[in-house]
Amino acid sequence: MPDIGPDIEDLFRRASKDYPLKQGEDKWSEIASKINGQPITQPAIKQQSGYKKYFSILLFLLLFLSLDLFFSFLFRFLIKLRV
Amino acid sequence: MENIIHIINGCINKEPKYQRLLYDRYRGFASKVVFRYIYRYEKAIDVVTDGFVKAFNHFDQFKKRKDDNDEDVEKLLMGWLKRIMVNCSIDELRRSSMLPEIGGIPEDVWDITDRNYNADQLLLYKDLVTLIKELPPNYRIVFNLYVLDGYAHAQIADMLKISISTSRSSLSRARAFLQTLVKKMEEEKLCRI
């Protein structure tokens, strides 16, 4: 193993240039679509999913409110019947 | 093999053939720059992609002198690309609020088959880069910028919106941290022998 004591920073500099990293996935098609001015569809998907999320929350709230109203009427009706 | 000046001129004229050539030739170099700053490999590759998009969109800003030879032009180009990749990495770290990362680096990101170097040297370089990545994000950025990429403290302070003294103290802490990690690494290797 080479000596890493005396000039540690120089060794780090050499390592930073020549370390064995894989090149990774070729993303040329993504780059080409971006530099040709074609918008990437990701934001649109995000917007759609955000809209869906809020819509489902709203539906859930409406369902909760309607169930609440239904049961309160039902209880009142049952109490009246007993009386 | 295409001449670098032809490739650059092609990129300035936004010709896809030359843009592709430049990407193929320098994406390994760019990945090595970005991966020192960004802990996750997949995220680093995304940052490299963003960096190339930025470079191709602003290629007219790349300045070369007419009398420069191929080697000088290539050095200038690599310096320019490196600056773009560093800036994109810092933007990404800011977006993630420089939170410390958890989990190790998977072994499949390394390629120990380069015939220009012997395997021991490549393993040592891999270990050293792993040590850099073990630094807390703010120390790692300052160490990378100052020691490995040659920025001055005033530039670092400006880029990271911190004071010069914070930059200096982060560097000295990063150095101390690395000294300890290197010592530990040496001891572990000696134990294995």
Side-chain angles (χ1 to χ4, degrees):
Chain A
M1 187 182 141
D3 184 16
I4 50 176
D7 199 354
I8 185 171
E9 287 183 1
D10 188 49
L11 192 64
F12 272 111
R13 265 182 227 112
R14 274 186 279 146
S16 75
K17 281 180 194 149
D18 298 324
Y19 70 99
L21 184 71
K22 272 189 186 160
Q23 269 210 335
E25 197 188 336
D26 184 343
K27 298 241 180 171
W28 172 249
S29 54
E30 191 181 329
I31 293 171
S33 72
K34 283 183 180 173
I35 55 180
N36 291 331
Q38 290 169 7
I40 294 297
T41 50
Q42 221 173 2
I45 292 164
K46 267 191 180 174
Q47 270 182 352
Q48 201 184 13
S49 65
Y51 166 76
K52 274 186 181 169
K53 194 174 84 181
Y54 289 120
F55 186 70
S56 58
I57 290 170
L58 190 69
L59 265 179
F60 178 76
L61 282 173
L62 280 172
L63 187 73
F64 181 76
L65 275 173
S66 54
L67 282 173
D68 185 47
L69 279 172
F70 173 75
F71 281 111
S72 60
F73 276 121
L74 188 71
F75 282 128
R76 271 185 218 162
F77 180 71
L78 288 172
I79 290 165
K80 269 183 189 176
L81 273 181
R82 275 190 190 176
V83 173
Chain B
M1 202 163 147
E2 277 288 345
N3 173 288
I4 188 67
I5 294 172
H6 285 161
I7 296 178
I8 290 169
N9 289 335
C11 290
I12 291 169
N13 296 327
K14 297 191 183 293
E15 292 177 47
K17 178 191 155 191
Y18 292 104
Q19 289 173 327
R20 169 95 222 204
L21 277 172
L22 187 114
Y23 173 69
D24 283 343
R25 198 180 278 192
Y26 295 105
R27 81 184 161 107
F29 162 75
S31 306
K32 283 183 190 179
V33 172
V34 173
F35 191 59
R36 286 192 272 114
Y37 288 85
I38 307 287
Y39 192 83
R40 295 260 161 252
Y41 180 73
E42 293 75 18
K43 181 52 80 186
I45 299 300
D46 288 343
V47 172
V48 169
T49 306
D50 291 346
F52 273 105
V53 171
K54 214 177 217 180
F56 290 133
N57 283 335
H58 300 93
F59 225 98
D60 50 337
Q61 289 174 16
F62 173 67
K63 300 273 178 267
K64 65 177 192 322
R65 290 178 294 255
K66 276 182 185 170
D67 50 345
D68 277 342
N69 60 32
D70 283 10
E71 207 176 310
D72 293 339
V73 172
E74 182 158 39
K75 268 187 196 160
L76 279 175
L77 176 71
M78 286 170 85
W80 186 72
L81 271 177
K82 192 190 209 175
R83 274 201 302 281
I84 292 174
M85 296 299 160
V86 168
N87 287 335
C88 287
S89 305
I90 290 169
D91 288 346
E92 175 54 36
L93 287 165
R94 271 209 204 99
R95 269 196 291 273
S96 61
S97 312
M98 298 200 192
L99 292 169
E101 301 87 353
I102 43 171
I105 303 162
E107 276 301 310
D108 62 0
V109 306
W110 309 112
D111 176 19
I112 322 275
T113 54
D114 193 336
R115 286 182 186 174
N116 295 323
Y117 299 93
N118 66 48
D120 281 352
Q121 198 172 17
L122 288 177
L123 285 171
L124 173 71
Y125 287 174
K126 176 199 132 183
D127 288 345
L128 290 174
V129 170
T130 307
L131 294 187
I132 296 171
K133 289 170 81 65
E134 280 178 27
L135 290 171
N138 46 347
Y139 296 172
R140 189 197 317 145
I141 298 172
V142 175
F143 183 82
N144 265 308
L145 288 171
Y146 188 88
V147 177
L148 306 180
D149 295 320
Y151 287 82
H153 280 299
Q155 289 173 298
I156 297 170
D158 191 42
M159 285 165 93
L160 302 179
K161 311 271 182 285
I162 55 172
S163 66
I164 292 175
S165 60
T166 306
S167 172
R168 284 207 178 102
S169 67
S170 296
L171 179 67
S172 63
R173 281 180 193 152
R175 278 174 169 152
F177 211 106
L178 279 174
Q179 293 274 10
T180 318
L181 292 174
V182 169
K183 216 173 175 181
K184 210 172 131 190
M185 186 178 91
E186 276 184 316
E187 282 166 6
E188 280 172 7
K189 292 206 172 181
L190 280 173
C191 283
R192 264 184 255 158
I193 294 166

